[in-house]
Every structure is written in C-alpha cells, then in structure tokens.
Amino acid sequence: MEQAAFAPMTAEQAAVFRPLIDAALAEDIGSGDITTTATVDENQIADADLVFRSGGVVAGLEVVASIFHALDAGVDVKPAVVDGERVSAGAVVATVHGSARAILSGERTALNLLARLSGIATLTRAYVDAVADPAVRITDTRKTTPGLRALERYAVRAGGGYNHRFGLADAVLIKDNHLAASGGIAEAVIAARRGAPESTIIEVECDSLEQVRQALESGADAVLLDNMSVPDVRKAVALAADSSVVEASGGITLANVKEVASTGVDIISVGALTHGASSLDVGLDFSARPAPAVVKETASTHA
C-alpha cells in the first residue's frame, strides 16, 4: 500500500475536475444568477478574502481557483497558504480579484467545496495526531460522496492520512457476502488468485479469530479485522506475525483509535473521515470597487 508523500494540487491537476466544477456551477446558477445580473454592473471589479471562521486544515484551494476561472478566466486567485496547512480561526487562506459578477456567482460553490474538503482534512489530521505513530496508517474507505471520491481522498491525504483502494478494480477485498456466495474463505481466496490480475492484493474481512486463521492459512495478503475488540485485535496481530498486513476497521473513533493503534496493526481504516466529517465554517469577505464610469460620446457639428 505504497503512497507518495502528499503534494498540494496544481492547477493542471485541478483541471481534471472541470466537468465536476461545471456541473456544480450549473446546478447552482441554472439559467442565470438573476440577483447578481440585476444588481451588479457587468464591468464592476471586486476584491474578496476567503476566510476560515474556524481553525482547521486547508484543502481545495486550486479547486476554488478553477471555479472562479470557469466563470471568468480573468479572475485572479492568490492562495495565502497551501493545502495541508493548519490555520487558526480568522485566517485568510486566499484573496480573489476580478469581475464582481463572477466572484458573487461562484461564491457558494467555491465555499461549499472548500469547506467540505477542509472538513475532511481537519478530521483526518485529528485521527493522525491522536495515533501519533507514523508506523500506523490512517486510511479512508469507499464511503465517499458519489462523484466526489477523488477530491475527498485528496483531502484525506492533505490531512496526513492515506488512501485505501480507490474502487472495486484496484484490489480484492473479500467481505462476508462474498464468503456466503463463494463457500468459504479458502475457496474465495483461491478463486481470487485465479481470477484477479497478477500481483493484485487480496484481503479478507474477518470478524473472528478463527476467520483470521483461515485467511492466513489460505495465503491472504491482508486481513481486515471488522469490529473486533481490542484484545482480539492484539491476538490477530500475533497470529499474523508479520506474514500479512493487518487492518483494523469498524467502530474506530477518536476516543479509541490510540488504543487500537497500540495493538500493532498496520492500518486503521475510518469511514467517518469522509462520511462523518463536518464542513468547516468558511466565508468570503467581499468588497466592490465603484463601477467604471461610462463615457457617452456626443455628436459635434462643424461650421
């Protein structure tokens, strides 16, 4: 489960999300922002600060820039920090300059995504800090918002966490329903070895020590301990004896994650990183400049 060190998203990488951004803007703006069009001059220029009303870890600044650029390429977005940085309440994380109409029309979409991604990054950082052991990886799961998985996984990395498999094509994870359909752990692992691409990681979800023994005997690359007690997790780690990657999942909270990590597991996967994160309180402080005066030409007569 190798993963490169976190690097903030570039403008080029953010461009991949342009279809998602266009869809989000279309959802909000629809046939037109009638309030802004009616009340704001098309030539008016404005400045705005993106402000964290509450402290947290920043994620999504290049996505924000792409949102405003989708409405007006001339809008200038200058980040004051980088994704992955922890900031205090009141921090200005970026400044925006350009068309007042574009800034106002893109405001809600930009704030929604920045608040959502930063909330995930902030919660992830809390789990990473609670464990305080780089040998234990805090990872996400597939419990993500439909359509936003890539961005939400990016936010997990911004918070210091790691990504589990992106989707069903990336690794084999044999769960209880697969076992019910295939006849048992040994049968499922054999079938997975035969049917999955070579070098694919095969992991088995176990809810008892007996299932852990069967998975290890079957040659599984990893075992996922589902909602097992801390004492049983410790016993499962001893059974694996470094022959298999051991992952703990289910029922993991900030209150118990440190204890779970102390058992010697390699990975702790937490679905709440994405499905349970609260959006941060992020605002846009806006100030408009006077619209440029329109000079009317008058006809002149010559004697």
Side-chain angles (χ1 to χ4, degrees):
M1 192 175 173
E2 294 302 318
Q3 181 174 299
F6 173 74
M9 186 182 297
T10 64
E12 291 73 20
Q13 291 167 332
V16 172
F17 300 104
R18 182 59 186 267
L20 184 152
I21 288 169
D22 287 344
L25 287 170
E27 177 182 62
D28 196 36
I29 297 173
S31 60
D33 179 354
I34 57 177
T35 306
T36 297
T37 301
T39 61
V40 179
D41 188 279
E42 63 180 349
N43 297 311
Q44 193 160 21
I45 300 299
D47 295 290
D49 292 335
L50 284 166
V51 183
F52 269 40
R53 311 290 190 207
S54 55
V57 178
V58 182
L61 290 176
E62 279 298 338
V63 177
V64 166
S66 295
I67 289 168
F68 289 119
H69 293 158
L71 293 170
D72 188 323
V75 173
D76 184 27
V77 181
K78 283 188 169 61
V81 297
V82 296
D83 282 354
E85 187 171 337
R86 196 197 304 264
V87 300
S88 301
V92 174
V93 298
T95 58
V96 187
H97 171 81
S99 163
R101 282 189 175 184
I103 294 172
L104 291 172
S105 294
E107 174 184 2
R108 179 42 53 200
T109 301
L111 292 178
N112 283 352
L113 280 173
L114 182 61
R116 172 69 181 151
L117 299 182
S118 297
I120 292 171
T122 300
L123 182 58
T124 302
R125 183 68 57 83
Y127 273 90
V128 171
D129 289 348
V131 169
D133 182 355
V136 181
R137 296 187 171 190
I138 298 296
T139 76
D140 52 23
T141 70
R142 287 168 43 243
K143 295 177 181 178
T144 54
T145 307
L148 293 181
R149 180 171 294 173
L151 284 176
E152 292 182 345
R153 283 164 56 89
Y154 168 80
V156 167
R157 297 196 304 276
Y162 290 79
N163 296 143
H164 213 290
R165 59 177 181 164
F166 183 86
L168 297 175
D170 297 315
V172 171
L173 176 51
I174 301 169
K175 299 170 76 69
D176 54 354
N177 289 336
H178 298 106
L179 295 177
S182 62
I185 289 176
E187 293 83 353
V189 172
I190 291 171
R193 290 282 182 216
R194 186 186 307 120
E198 189 177 354
S199 77
T200 299
I201 292 174
I202 295 178
E203 184 171 18
V204 179
E205 179 184 85
C206 305
D207 57 21
S208 69
L209 290 174
E210 178 55 34
Q211 285 191 327
V212 172
R213 290 188 186 93
Q214 292 178 29
L216 294 172
E217 290 170 0
S218 300
D221 300 305
V223 290
L224 184 155
L225 312 178
D226 183 36
N227 281 292
M228 290 177 65
S229 68
V230 170
D232 279 353
V233 170
R234 201 177 302 277
K235 291 174 184 176
V237 170
L239 285 173
D242 296 327
S243 66
S244 175
V245 172
V246 180
E247 173 183 349
S249 188
I252 309 294
T253 67
L254 283 171
N256 67 15
V257 69
K258 177 74 171 177
E259 185 182 15
V260 174
S262 73
T263 62
V265 295
D266 304 292
I267 298 167
I268 299 176
S269 55
V270 185
L273 297 184
T274 49
H275 76 70
S278 297
S279 294
L280 290 194
D281 187 1
V282 183
L284 184 139
D285 292 344
F286 176 90
S287 79
R289 302 181 182 186
V294 177
V295 178
K296 296 182 178 180
E297 295 185 358
T298 57
S300 60
T301 57
H302 299 277

Tab-separated table of all heavy atoms in Angstrom, residues 108-150:
chain	number	residue	atom	x	y	z
A	108	ARG	N	-20.807	30.559	-3.630
A	108	ARG	CA	-21.357	29.439	-2.870
A	108	ARG	C	-20.726	28.107	-3.261
A	108	ARG	O	-20.402	27.270	-2.411
A	108	ARG	CB	-22.881	29.392	-3.042
A	108	ARG	CG	-23.588	28.253	-2.322
A	108	ARG	CD	-23.083	27.988	-0.915
A	108	ARG	NE	-23.060	29.170	-0.063
A	108	ARG	CZ	-22.335	29.268	1.033
A	108	ARG	NH1	-21.527	28.280	1.400
A	108	ARG	NH2	-22.366	30.364	1.772
A	109	THR	N	-20.540	27.890	-4.553
A	109	THR	CA	-19.921	26.642	-4.996
A	109	THR	C	-18.502	26.536	-4.464
A	109	THR	O	-18.069	25.474	-3.991
A	109	THR	CB	-19.922	26.556	-6.534
A	109	THR	OG1	-21.272	26.618	-7.012
A	109	THR	CG2	-19.279	25.269	-7.017
A	110	ALA	N	-17.762	27.642	-4.519
A	110	ALA	CA	-16.386	27.640	-4.021
A	110	ALA	C	-16.341	27.369	-2.524
A	110	ALA	O	-15.541	26.552	-2.045
A	110	ALA	CB	-15.718	28.979	-4.342
A	111	LEU	N	-17.208	28.034	-1.770
A	111	LEU	CA	-17.215	27.847	-0.320
A	111	LEU	C	-17.659	26.433	0.056
A	111	LEU	O	-17.115	25.829	0.990
A	111	LEU	CB	-18.134	28.876	0.339
A	111	LEU	CG	-17.668	30.339	0.282
A	111	LEU	CD1	-18.704	31.244	0.938
A	111	LEU	CD2	-16.315	30.511	0.964
A	112	ASN	N	-18.638	25.908	-0.658
A	112	ASN	CA	-19.124	24.559	-0.347
A	112	ASN	C	-18.006	23.527	-0.469
A	112	ASN	O	-17.818	22.676	0.410
A	112	ASN	CB	-20.278	24.172	-1.275
A	112	ASN	CG	-21.591	24.825	-0.879
A	112	ASN	OD1	-21.699	25.464	0.167
A	112	ASN	ND2	-22.589	24.687	-1.731
A	113	LEU	N	-17.275	23.588	-1.582
A	113	LEU	CA	-16.225	22.596	-1.795
A	113	LEU	C	-15.042	22.817	-0.859
A	113	LEU	O	-14.490	21.863	-0.311
A	113	LEU	CB	-15.781	22.609	-3.258
A	113	LEU	CG	-16.709	21.841	-4.207
A	113	LEU	CD1	-16.297	22.044	-5.651
A	113	LEU	CD2	-16.712	20.348	-3.881
A	114	LEU	N	-14.653	24.065	-0.666
A	114	LEU	CA	-13.532	24.345	0.239
A	114	LEU	C	-13.867	23.910	1.663
A	114	LEU	O	-13.033	23.303	2.357
A	114	LEU	CB	-13.195	25.833	0.207
A	114	LEU	CG	-12.009	26.280	1.073
A	114	LEU	CD1	-10.722	25.596	0.637
A	114	LEU	CD2	-11.854	27.802	1.009
A	115	ALA	N	-15.077	24.198	2.111
A	115	ALA	CA	-15.489	23.823	3.462
A	115	ALA	C	-15.571	22.307	3.616
A	115	ALA	O	-15.156	21.749	4.645
A	115	ALA	CB	-16.844	24.452	3.786
A	116	ARG	N	-16.102	21.638	2.602
A	116	ARG	CA	-16.228	20.180	2.646
A	116	ARG	C	-14.860	19.507	2.689
A	116	ARG	O	-14.590	18.658	3.549
A	116	ARG	CB	-17.008	19.699	1.421
A	116	ARG	CG	-17.065	18.193	1.233
A	116	ARG	CD	-17.896	17.519	2.270
A	116	ARG	NE	-17.914	16.065	2.084
A	116	ARG	CZ	-18.076	15.210	3.083
A	116	ARG	NH1	-18.249	15.635	4.314
A	116	ARG	NH2	-18.095	13.909	2.848
A	117	LEU	N	-13.988	19.868	1.770
A	117	LEU	CA	-12.673	19.222	1.694
A	117	LEU	C	-11.826	19.557	2.915
A	117	LEU	O	-11.115	18.691	3.447
A	117	LEU	CB	-11.961	19.634	0.406
A	117	LEU	CG	-12.684	19.247	-0.895
A	117	LEU	CD1	-11.856	19.656	-2.101
A	117	LEU	CD2	-12.982	17.754	-0.933
A	118	SER	N	-11.902	20.778	3.379
A	118	SER	CA	-11.127	21.176	4.557
A	118	SER	C	-11.653	20.481	5.818
A	118	SER	O	-10.881	20.159	6.731
A	118	SER	CB	-11.154	22.690	4.725
A	118	SER	OG	-10.539	23.332	3.618
A	119	GLY	N	-12.957	20.230	5.871
A	119	GLY	CA	-13.514	19.486	6.992
A	119	GLY	C	-12.962	18.069	7.043
A	119	GLY	O	-12.634	17.551	8.126
A	120	ILE	N	-12.854	17.435	5.897
A	120	ILE	CA	-12.286	16.080	5.825
A	120	ILE	C	-10.821	16.099	6.232
A	120	ILE	O	-10.364	15.243	7.015
A	120	ILE	CB	-12.458	15.511	4.405
A	120	ILE	CG1	-13.941	15.252	4.120
A	120	ILE	CG2	-11.631	14.245	4.218
A	120	ILE	CD1	-14.240	14.904	2.674
A	121	ALA	N	-10.068	17.061	5.708
A	121	ALA	CA	-8.650	17.158	6.048
A	121	ALA	C	-8.454	17.402	7.539
A	121	ALA	O	-7.538	16.845	8.162
A	121	ALA	CB	-7.998	18.278	5.236
A	122	THR	N	-9.314	18.207	8.116
A	122	THR	CA	-9.205	18.533	9.544
A	122	THR	C	-9.502	17.323	10.415
A	122	THR	O	-8.782	17.041	11.388
A	122	THR	CB	-10.170	19.682	9.890
A	122	THR	OG1	-9.821	20.838	9.106
A	122	THR	CG2	-10.093	20.045	11.359
A	123	LEU	N	-10.544	16.572	10.079
A	123	LEU	CA	-10.870	15.376	10.858
A	123	LEU	C	-9.773	14.326	10.703
A	123	LEU	O	-9.390	13.663	11.683
A	123	LEU	CB	-12.217	14.804	10.408
A	123	LEU	CG	-12.700	13.573	11.176
A	123	LEU	CD1	-12.827	13.867	12.660
A	123	LEU	CD2	-14.029	13.069	10.611
A	124	THR	N	-9.256	14.175	9.496
A	124	THR	CA	-8.170	13.225	9.280
A	124	THR	C	-6.963	13.569	10.135
A	124	THR	O	-6.364	12.695	10.779
A	124	THR	CB	-7.765	13.191	7.797
A	124	THR	OG1	-8.904	12.850	6.995
A	124	THR	CG2	-6.659	12.179	7.552
A	125	ARG	N	-6.619	14.857	10.164
A	125	ARG	CA	-5.471	15.275	10.966
A	125	ARG	C	-5.698	14.961	12.449
A	125	ARG	O	-4.755	14.596	13.167
A	125	ARG	CB	-5.215	16.767	10.770
A	125	ARG	CG	-3.993	17.326	11.501
A	125	ARG	CD	-2.671	16.799	10.942
A	125	ARG	NE	-2.538	17.089	9.527
A	125	ARG	CZ	-2.113	18.256	9.030
A	125	ARG	NH1	-1.781	19.247	9.838
A	125	ARG	NH2	-2.012	18.416	7.720
A	126	ALA	N	-6.924	15.073	12.906
A	126	ALA	CA	-7.227	14.759	14.301
A	126	ALA	C	-6.946	13.289	14.598
A	126	ALA	O	-6.393	12.946	15.659
A	126	ALA	CB	-8.687	15.105	14.613
A	127	TYR	N	-7.310	12.396	13.674
A	127	TYR	CA	-7.024	10.974	13.860
A	127	TYR	C	-5.520	10.697	13.808
A	127	TYR	O	-4.989	9.924	14.621
A	127	TYR	CB	-7.744	10.147	12.792
A	127	TYR	CG	-9.159	9.772	13.167
A	127	TYR	CD1	-10.224	10.606	12.844
A	127	TYR	CD2	-9.439	8.587	13.842
A	127	TYR	CE1	-11.533	10.275	13.194
A	127	TYR	CE2	-10.741	8.249	14.191
A	127	TYR	CZ	-11.774	9.091	13.874
A	127	TYR	OH	-13.059	8.756	14.223
A	128	VAL	N	-4.847	11.308	12.852
A	128	VAL	CA	-3.398	11.115	12.727
A	128	VAL	C	-2.692	11.599	13.987
A	128	VAL	O	-1.799	10.931	14.523
A	128	VAL	CB	-2.866	11.853	11.482
A	128	VAL	CG1	-1.340	11.843	11.449
A	128	VAL	CG2	-3.423	11.216	10.206
A	129	ASP	N	-3.092	12.745	14.498
A	129	ASP	CA	-2.480	13.291	15.716
A	129	ASP	C	-2.804	12.426	16.933
A	129	ASP	O	-1.970	12.273	17.837
A	129	ASP	CB	-2.959	14.722	15.958
A	129	ASP	CG	-2.385	15.717	14.961
A	129	ASP	OD1	-1.444	15.351	14.234
A	129	ASP	OD2	-2.886	16.856	14.911
A	130	ALA	N	-3.999	11.856	16.968
A	130	ALA	CA	-4.385	11.020	18.097
A	130	ALA	C	-3.538	9.754	18.167
A	130	ALA	O	-3.156	9.295	19.246
A	130	ALA	CB	-5.865	10.653	18.005
A	131	VAL	N	-3.228	9.190	17.007
A	131	VAL	CA	-2.391	7.989	16.955
A	131	VAL	C	-0.928	8.331	17.232
A	131	VAL	O	-0.237	7.628	17.966
A	131	VAL	CB	-2.542	7.293	15.591
A	131	VAL	CG1	-1.490	6.201	15.405
A	131	VAL	CG2	-3.938	6.705	15.448
A	132	ALA	N	-0.456	9.400	16.621
A	132	ALA	CA	0.915	9.874	16.827
A	132	ALA	C	1.941	8.764	16.612
A	132	ALA	O	2.919	8.646	17.355
A	132	ALA	CB	1.067	10.485	18.222
A	133	ASP	N	1.732	7.959	15.578
A	133	ASP	CA	2.662	6.871	15.262
A	133	ASP	C	2.696	6.698	13.755
A	133	ASP	O	1.759	6.154	13.159
A	133	ASP	CB	2.209	5.575	15.935
A	133	ASP	CG	3.171	4.420	15.688
A	133	ASP	OD1	4.134	4.591	14.912
A	133	ASP	OD2	2.953	3.342	16.269
A	134	PRO	N	3.765	7.155	13.100
A	134	PRO	CA	3.822	7.073	11.630
A	134	PRO	C	3.821	5.650	11.099
A	134	PRO	O	3.593	5.428	9.904
A	134	PRO	CB	5.138	7.791	11.299
A	134	PRO	CG	5.940	7.758	12.561
A	134	PRO	CD	4.950	7.796	13.669
A	135	ALA	N	4.055	4.665	11.957
A	135	ALA	CA	4.048	3.272	11.504
A	135	ALA	C	2.629	2.760	11.281
A	135	ALA	O	2.418	1.738	10.626
A	135	ALA	CB	4.765	2.390	12.517
A	136	VAL	N	1.651	3.456	11.844
A	136	VAL	CA	0.245	3.064	11.690
A	136	VAL	C	-0.420	4.047	10.741
A	136	VAL	O	-0.446	5.253	11.004
A	136	VAL	CB	-0.490	3.055	13.042
A	136	VAL	CG1	-1.940	2.630	12.850
A	136	VAL	CG2	0.220	2.128	14.021
A	137	ARG	N	-0.974	3.530	9.678
A	137	ARG	CA	-1.578	4.400	8.673
A	137	ARG	C	-3.084	4.559	8.906
A	137	ARG	O	-3.806	3.562	9.027
A	137	ARG	CB	-1.336	3.852	7.267
A	137	ARG	CG	0.132	3.824	6.874
A	137	ARG	CD	0.300	3.445	5.428
A	137	ARG	NE	1.678	3.611	4.993
A	137	ARG	CZ	2.082	3.531	3.736
A	137	ARG	NH1	1.196	3.290	2.759
A	137	ARG	NH2	3.344	3.697	3.417
A	138	ILE	N	-3.510	5.800	8.941
A	138	ILE	CA	-4.942	6.105	8.980
A	138	ILE	C	-5.412	6.216	7.531
A	138	ILE	O	-4.882	7.035	6.762
A	138	ILE	CB	-5.207	7.423	9.727
A	138	ILE	CG1	-4.760	7.325	11.186
A	138	ILE	CG2	-6.687	7.789	9.641
A	138	ILE	CD1	-5.526	6.309	12.008
A	139	THR	N	-6.381	5.402	7.143
A	139	THR	CA	-6.844	5.425	5.764
A	139	THR	C	-8.344	5.671	5.674
A	139	THR	O	-9.090	5.475	6.625
A	139	THR	CB	-6.538	4.098	5.029
A	139	THR	OG1	-7.469	3.095	5.450
A	139	THR	CG2	-5.120	3.630	5.299
A	140	ASP	N	-8.741	6.097	4.488
A	140	ASP	CA	-10.161	6.280	4.191
A	140	ASP	C	-10.777	4.958	3.744
A	140	ASP	O	-10.112	3.911	3.737
A	140	ASP	CB	-10.342	7.363	3.127
A	140	ASP	CG	-9.481	7.110	1.889
A	140	ASP	OD1	-9.088	5.948	1.647
A	140	ASP	OD2	-9.182	8.069	1.166
A	141	THR	N	-12.018	5.008	3.339
A	141	THR	CA	-12.728	3.857	2.779
A	141	THR	C	-13.464	4.321	1.520
A	141	THR	O	-13.278	5.461	1.074
A	141	THR	CB	-13.750	3.285	3.783
A	141	THR	OG1	-14.835	4.216	3.932
A	141	THR	CG2	-13.112	3.033	5.145
A	142	ARG	N	-14.316	3.463	0.981
A	142	ARG	CA	-15.116	3.852	-0.178
A	142	ARG	C	-16.410	4.555	0.219
A	142	ARG	O	-17.272	4.810	-0.620
A	142	ARG	CB	-15.437	2.622	-1.042
A	142	ARG	CG	-14.234	2.113	-1.831
A	142	ARG	CD	-14.444	0.729	-2.461
A	142	ARG	NE	-15.739	0.567	-3.069
A	142	ARG	CZ	-16.650	-0.325	-2.657
A	142	ARG	NH1	-16.408	-1.104	-1.628
A	142	ARG	NH2	-17.801	-0.424	-3.286
A	143	LYS	N	-16.567	4.889	1.487
A	143	LYS	CA	-17.764	5.598	1.951
A	143	LYS	C	-17.617	7.089	1.681
A	143	LYS	O	-17.444	7.906	2.579
A	143	LYS	CB	-17.989	5.324	3.436
A	143	LYS	CG	-18.300	3.868	3.738
A	143	LYS	CD	-18.445	3.611	5.221
A	143	LYS	CE	-18.723	2.146	5.513
A	143	LYS	NZ	-18.821	1.861	6.962
A	144	THR	N	-17.680	7.421	0.397
A	144	THR	CA	-17.473	8.794	-0.047
A	144	THR	C	-18.732	9.329	-0.708
A	144	THR	O	-19.655	8.578	-1.028
A	144	THR	CB	-16.302	8.863	-1.048
A	144	THR	OG1	-16.545	7.922	-2.111
A	144	THR	CG2	-14.982	8.516	-0.371
A	145	THR	N	-18.761	10.628	-0.940
A	145	THR	CA	-19.886	11.251	-1.630
A	145	THR	C	-19.823	10.896	-3.109
A	145	THR	O	-18.776	11.107	-3.743
A	145	THR	CB	-19.830	12.777	-1.475
A	145	THR	OG1	-19.735	13.108	-0.084
A	145	THR	CG2	-21.067	13.428	-2.078
A	146	PRO	N	-20.882	10.338	-3.687
A	146	PRO	CA	-20.847	9.987	-5.115
A	146	PRO	C	-20.393	11.170	-5.974
A	146	PRO	O	-20.905	12.283	-5.841
A	146	PRO	CB	-22.295	9.596	-5.413
A	146	PRO	CG	-22.798	9.059	-4.106
A	146	PRO	CD	-22.154	9.942	-3.058
A	147	GLY	N	-19.421	10.922	-6.827
A	147	GLY	CA	-18.902	11.950	-7.718
A	147	GLY	C	-17.754	12.750	-7.142
A	147	GLY	O	-17.033	13.419	-7.882
A	148	LEU	N	-17.585	12.684	-5.808
A	148	LEU	CA	-16.537	13.488	-5.166
A	148	LEU	C	-15.394	12.641	-4.607
A	148	LEU	O	-14.545	13.145	-3.880
A	148	LEU	CB	-17.131	14.320	-4.025
A	148	LEU	CG	-18.111	15.427	-4.397
A	148	LEU	CD1	-18.577	16.154	-3.137
A	148	LEU	CD2	-17.479	16.408	-5.372
A	149	ARG	N	-15.365	11.350	-4.925
A	149	ARG	CA	-14.392	10.467	-4.286
A	149	ARG	C	-12.957	10.942	-4.457
A	149	ARG	O	-12.176	10.968	-3.490
A	149	ARG	CB	-14.539	9.033	-4.801
A	149	ARG	CG	-13.543	8.069	-4.148
A	149	ARG	CD	-13.842	6.626	-4.494
A	149	ARG	NE	-15.123	6.227	-3.918
A	149	ARG	CZ	-15.714	5.052	-4.169
A	149	ARG	NH1	-15.129	4.183	-4.982
A	149	ARG	NH2	-16.864	4.751	-3.615
A	150	ALA	N	-12.565	11.309	-5.669
A	150	ALA	CA	-11.169	11.706	-5.894
A	150	ALA	C	-10.806	12.938	-5.071
A	150	ALA	O	-9.714	13.017	-4.494
A	150	ALA	CB	-10.924	11.964	-7.376
